[in-house]
């Protein structure tokens, strides 16, 4: 039997095309023109790459609900998948602005791209301010395209099913906003090097749950299951399985943010430290570090100009003080998800696919 990874790879072009088509359709509808080229081209550039994982999860959730293969021609979730990918691009445009990120997937982020256009064309005013405002509007337009795509999917459903779909999509959007606020709030709290619990694992986990775990993993699959007519029992089972895996997904991302290969991850190693991110990995390292090691970490956290040498020194501290416990936590979350298999009568093939999905989510390198 073909692996889930292989089936995902075959499905990606469908999601790529649908994402592009839904964005262009909205632009045509609102009447973009030559005057707005730099804006519309930045929007299009924002959707040009990515793993399409959220769109793929929507197909996966629907295939579970309908007990059909992912490549079943009657399994038409292209509009929902496009909506999720457009929403992801929208969220990243805003997130990269908040984090002052310079690159994403090896390309300039929207606020950087627009600031460069401003400078290159010799326009009046602040290029940085123009880029920032432009990125907010890029994110807003992409979100509108996401809503339009999800509405297209709703038009294919019975009214009660369409209501559930839009309700879940709206909840996802609201939850990301809450998680984003909790994230930036944590970054602005002072740290006492004498306090070994200054970075609380529980508080960080709350950010992870709202900002990433639900939005990246749980909601996309359940949205797909809703489209597929999934029962409340299936949705509950997916929630219990995918929530710990979604947390593990973000924990793996945090590990890659420090120890990953930039050529693979698409962003510089150590940027989470420069941005002052309070991660579970950092929390574990902080709690076991010496006071002097915490001073070293504190000297880098939130410093956008921190040198590569300083970042490497912090990475060594985190490696020695927190990484092993972090990997153990990821392992325990994977096992927690597996325990949810018994909550629903999944077939053997579905269990095999879910097991592979856990690997894709938690053992990735990019």
């Amino acid at each position: 039997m073909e692996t889930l990874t292989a089936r995902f790879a075959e499905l990606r072009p469908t999601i790529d095309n649908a994402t592009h088509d839904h964005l262009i359709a909205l632009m045509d509808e609102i009447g973009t023109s030559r005057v707005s080229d730099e804006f519309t081209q930045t929007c299009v550039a924002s959707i040009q790459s990515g793993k399409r994982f959220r769109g793929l999860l929507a197909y996966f959730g629907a295939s579970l609900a309908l007990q059909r293969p992912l490549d079943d021609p009657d399994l038409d979730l292209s509009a929902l998948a496009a909506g999720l990918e457009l929403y992801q691009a929208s969220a990243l445009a805003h997130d990269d602005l908040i984090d002052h990120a310079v690159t994403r997937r090896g390309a300039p982020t929207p606020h950087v791209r627009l600031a460069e256009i401003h400078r290159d064309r010799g326009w009046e005013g602040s290029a940085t301010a123009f880029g920032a405002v432009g990125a907010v509007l890029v994110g807003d337009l992409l979100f509108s395209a996401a809503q339009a795509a999800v509405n297209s999917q709703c038009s294919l459903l019975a009214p009660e099913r369409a209501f559930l779909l839009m309700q879940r999509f709206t909840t996802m959007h609201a939850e990301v906003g809450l998680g984003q606020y909790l994230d930036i709030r944590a970054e602005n709290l002072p740290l006492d090097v004498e306090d070994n619990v200054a970075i609380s694992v529980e508080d960080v986990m709350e950010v992870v749950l709202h900002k990433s775990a639900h939005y990246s993993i749980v909601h996309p699959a359940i949205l797909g299951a809703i489209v597929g007519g999934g029962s409340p029992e299936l949705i509950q089972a997916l929630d219990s399985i995918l929530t710990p895996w979604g947390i593990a997904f973000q924990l793996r991302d945090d590990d890659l943010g420090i120890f990953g290969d930039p050529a693979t991850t698409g962003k510089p190693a150590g940027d989470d430290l420069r941005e002052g991110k309070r991660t579970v990995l950092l929390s574990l390292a902080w709690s076991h570090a010496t006071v002097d090691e915490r001073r070293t970490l504190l000297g880098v956290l939130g410093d956008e100009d921190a040198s590569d040498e300083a970042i490497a020194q912090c990475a060594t501290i985190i490696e020695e003080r927190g990484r092993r416990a972090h990997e153990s936590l990821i392992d325990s979350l994977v096992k927690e998800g597996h325990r949810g298999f018994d909550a629903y009568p999944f077939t053997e093939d579905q269990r095999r696919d879910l097991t592979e999905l856990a690997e894709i989510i938690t053992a990735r390198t990019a």
Side-chain angles (χ1 to χ4, degrees):
M1 182 178 179
E2 195 174 35
T3 66
L4 181 63
T5 301
R7 281 173 280 153
F8 275 173
E10 292 170 0
L11 193 55
R12 274 196 55 176
T14 298
I15 300 174
D16 286 338
N17 293 335
T19 302
H20 178 269
D21 291 350
H22 278 279
L23 177 58
I24 297 302
L26 179 66
M27 288 180 174
D28 289 344
E29 184 177 348
I30 63 177
T32 57
S33 68
R34 176 187 56 80
V35 179
S36 58
D37 270 356
E38 68 279 348
F39 177 68
T40 56
Q41 288 171 9
T42 300
C43 291
V44 172
S46 298
I47 64 166
Q48 288 306 303
S49 60
K51 294 182 284 293
R52 306 301 188 210
F53 195 52
R54 290 158 185 83
L56 291 167
L57 282 171
Y59 271 92
F60 184 75
S63 74
L64 291 176
L66 293 166
Q67 295 196 9
R68 295 180 186 172
L70 284 168
D71 58 357
D72 188 319
D74 293 330
L75 196 65
D76 184 10
L77 267 79
S78 60
L80 174 58
L84 287 166
E85 292 304 322
L86 287 161
Y87 179 77
Q88 163 74 344
S90 166
L92 290 180
H94 291 162
D95 189 56
D96 288 337
L97 174 62
I98 291 169
D99 293 340
H100 310 290
V102 176
T103 61
R104 167 75 64 173
R105 300 165 183 159
T109 50
H111 66 279
V112 171
R113 177 188 171 110
L114 289 168
E116 289 173 349
I117 289 171
H118 184 287
R119 294 188 191 97
D120 291 344
R121 298 183 183 178
W123 291 349
E124 299 292 332
S126 166
T128 300
F130 176 83
V133 172
V136 171
L137 299 174
V138 165
D140 288 349
L141 188 141
L142 290 167
F143 178 67
S144 295
Q147 280 188 306
V150 176
N151 279 335
S152 293
Q153 190 73 60
C154 286
S155 70
L156 304 176
L157 303 174
E160 65 275 10
R161 190 64 55 176
F163 173 78
L164 289 174
L165 183 68
M166 188 53 72
Q167 184 182 50
R168 170 74 66 158
F169 182 78
T170 302
T171 298
M172 179 184 74
H173 178 49
E175 194 170 13
V176 171
L178 172 61
Q180 189 71 273
Y181 172 75
L182 293 174
D183 196 23
I184 61 172
R185 177 184 182 275
E187 291 172 19
N188 284 272
L189 295 178
L191 294 176
D192 180 359
V193 295
E194 300 288 344
D195 183 1
N196 64 356
V197 292
I199 305 175
S200 163
V201 169
E202 290 75 16
D203 290 349
V204 176
M205 279 292 198
E206 185 176 0
V207 175
V208 169
L209 187 66
H210 292 302
K211 184 184 174 185
S212 180
H214 281 165
Y215 141 66
S216 296
I217 306 298
V218 183
H219 288 311
I222 290 180
L223 285 165
I226 289 171
V227 171
S231 66
E233 292 77 14
L234 172 61
I235 290 171
Q236 180 57 47
L238 287 176
D239 190 88
S240 65
I241 292 167
L242 295 179
T243 295
W245 290 358
I247 295 170
F249 171 87
Q250 182 57 49
L251 267 54
R252 177 59 62 209
D253 195 66
D254 295 338
D255 182 83
L256 292 172
I258 296 177
F259 303 107
D261 178 2
T264 304
T265 63
K267 57 183 180 179
D271 264 16
D272 284 355
L273 294 172
R274 291 187 177 96
E275 293 163 10
K277 293 289 183 188
R278 307 300 201 258
T279 64
V280 173
L281 178 58
L282 179 64
S283 175
L284 294 170
W286 181 278
S287 66
H288 293 96
T290 67
V291 171
D292 284 343
E293 287 170 336
R294 290 176 195 155
R295 288 196 181 98
T296 299
L297 293 171
L298 190 57
V300 166
L301 283 175
D303 181 2
E304 296 178 14
D305 299 319
S307 67
D308 290 342
E309 292 77 14
I311 292 293
Q313 188 176 7
C314 288
T316 298
I317 294 170
I318 293 169
E319 169 88 41
E320 294 176 351
R321 301 299 187 186
R323 200 177 185 193
R324 181 178 297 178
H326 195 251
E327 287 297 322
S328 295
L329 180 55
I330 291 174
D331 289 343
S332 70
L333 288 164
V334 171
K335 291 174 182 175
E336 181 182 344
H338 277 287
R339 288 195 290 271
F341 281 21
D342 294 333
Y344 187 80
F346 294 108
T347 67
E348 285 304 312
D349 285 348
Q350 289 174 334
R351 285 172 176 256
R352 182 168 52 249
D353 283 347
L354 282 164
T355 298
E356 185 179 346
L357 181 64
E359 283 291 307
I360 295 171
I361 291 172
T362 64
R364 61 200 174 89
T365 60

